[in-house]
Amino acid sequence: MELRLVTAGESHGPALVAIVTGLPAGLVLERAAIDDDLRRRREGYGRSPRQKLEADEVEVLAGLRHGSTLGTPLALVIRNRDHENWAWGMSPWPPEGEPSGKGTSPVTLPRPGHADLAGALKYGHDDVRNALERASARQTAAHVAGGAVAKALLREIGVSVVGAPSEVGGETGDEGMRRATDDARKDRDTLGGVVEVTASGVPPGLGSYAEKADRLDARLASALMGIQAVKGVEIGDGFALSRLRGSQAHDEIEPGVRRETNRAGGIEGGVSNGEPIVVRAAMKPLPTLMRPLRSVDLATGEAGTALVERSDVQAVEALAVVAEAAVAWELARASREKFGGDALEDFVAARGAYVDRIDRSR
Ligand SMILES: Cc1cc2nc3c(=O)[nH]c(=O)nc-3n(C[C@H](O)[C@H](O)[C@H](O)COP(=O)(O)O)c2cc1C
């Protein structure tokens, strides 16, 4: 049973859409849990004040009855509340009446570090907005909604997934991260950072070494690299392991088949080994700068400075929520492959029988 997620939606278009297929029937979803993750994505130190004002709320159009999944495609919608200010500029159909609101004049000054230039060249857009509207991280809201559904499914088999920021602009600790953010804000600059996601209760045996595309570490790396601005991923101690000797790097196996260390981050041979899964993602500094970098006007070929649009100083806390959703999604997908079942009960029972078999062999 393959779990799949397809999303659509522009940042200032009418709505974001997520369609989830491959869920078992009988999974209870809570609207508040999905909305809570959407709220967590919007909040966080360093985000622009407007992000915090406009709450995102999920609507369900299909696949759910009285709070329980039907085993049919689940269709989720998140309206873009700001669309009313862009109704002319982002109208899906040729707009009627005089231009009004935002997005009425073309953007021709691409931002270094954003998708503006590459997107405009690739798709042949004269207005860079046609690229940036989808490339921007607004679409991560749809993935966070999908991740909240994945977390509900994982909870049924005792798996929990939590993401948190661990560095902002090279600083650690709440105070250091806030100070770095305040300093960058004063300088009208932006920062990146690092987030860590931990998944507990993951049974051994998710993923496989059979083919490289099956490896759980490869799948998690791809899921995290798929998030805007993520430029590095580590599984377990990752890059630090490369500087150790083998005798220091590996997690010895104790009687009872237990480990006292988890430098591998819960994955060996591309397969979960029963220890918590620990992954980190590194985010580059946000590309929209209030003191913009040099750019070129694509309409005239003349030198200029890049587009300035509403933007955050840093979005590392938001990334932690998005990364949590990405890891949850990938683990839910691997769990559906392993345990199958059309009814939730079948899925849970298959996991129970499998874990019993493993426990007997230890
Ligand atoms: C949660 C989140 C929020 C983001 N917010 C902003 C932002 O406010 N301004 C900005 O310029 N980039 C922001 N980004 C980063 C851009 O979306 C990203 O750099 C851009 O799409 C280009 O993709 P790339 O960095 O992967 O090359 C954000 C990314 C994430 C994950």
Side-chain angles (χ1 to χ4, degrees), residues 227-270:
I227 303 171
Q228 289 84 344
V230 169
K231 297 298 142 196
V233 175
E234 282 189 324
I235 312 283
D237 286 359
F239 278 69
L241 289 176
S242 69
R243 296 173 210 120
L244 300 177
R245 290 189 165 190
S247 55
Q248 303 296 308
H250 301 298
D251 306 307
E252 288 183 298
I253 305 170
E254 313 288 342
V257 197
R258 291 184 193 291
R259 313 291 180 107
E260 284 182 359
T261 57
N262 184 25
R263 299 181 191 106
I267 302 176
E268 289 168 307

Side-chain angles (χ1 to χ4, degrees), residues 43-57:
E43 290 181 353
Y45 207 68
R47 301 219 79 191
S48 79
R50 238 184 48 206
Q51 285 283 11
K52 295 175 199 169
L53 287 177
E54 305 153 3
D56 279 330
E57 279 174 7

Side-chain angles (χ1 to χ4, degrees), residues 107-136 231 284 287 295-296 298:
V107 177
T108 55
L109 286 156
R111 291 162 293 177
H114 217 296
D116 303 353
L117 177 61
L121 294 176
K122 175 177 167 70
Y123 291 99
H125 295 313
D126 295 332
D127 183 352
V128 167
R129 179 158 305 286
N130 288 336
L132 71 88
E133 278 285 326
R134 178 64 184 163
S136 106
K231 297 298 142 196
K284 74 185 187 185
S295 184
V296 166
L298 298 181

Side-chain angles (χ1 to χ4, degrees), residues 59-207:
E59 278 172 51
V60 180
L61 297 190
L64 198 68
R65 184 161 185 235
H66 302 171
S68 256
T69 56
L70 297 171
T72 55
L74 178 73
L76 308 175
V77 170
I78 303 161
R79 307 264 166 209
N80 289 325
R81 290 180 190 270
D82 206 18
H83 178 64
E84 61 188 43
N85 299 315
W86 296 74
W88 195 98
M90 286 303 295
S91 169
W93 296 107
E96 289 172 8
E98 288 303 304
S100 65
K102 298 183 179 172
T104 52
S105 24
V107 177
T108 55
L109 286 156
R111 291 162 293 177
H114 217 296
D116 303 353
L117 177 61
L121 294 176
K122 175 177 167 70
Y123 291 99
H125 295 313
D126 295 332
D127 183 352
V128 167
R129 179 158 305 286
N130 288 336
L132 71 88
E133 278 285 326
R134 178 64 184 163
S136 106
R138 170 69 186 146
Q139 57 161 292
T140 58
H143 290 271
V144 166
V149 173
K151 284 194 288 179
L153 182 67
L154 290 172
R155 203 169 302 123
E156 297 290 337
I157 54 169
V159 176
S160 62
V161 185
V162 176
S166 49
E167 270 182 44
V168 171
E171 300 291 335
T172 56
D174 275 0
E175 211 179 291
M177 293 194 277
R178 284 184 174 231
R179 199 178 335 107
T181 307
D182 292 341
D183 289 350
R185 184 184 283 112
K186 260 182 246 144
D187 295 341
R188 300 170 72 219
D189 216 328
T190 62
L191 296 175
V194 179
V195 301
E196 184 170 294
V197 182
T198 305
S200 312
V202 180
L206 297 190

Side-chain angles (χ1 to χ4, degrees), residues 12 17 37-38 56 113 119 126 147 176 236 240 275 278 285 289 318 321 338 342:
H12 302 103
V17 178
D37 278 354
L38 293 174
D56 279 330
D126 295 332
E275 300 301 314
V278 184
L289 299 178
V321 180
K338 180 136 183 69
D342 296 308

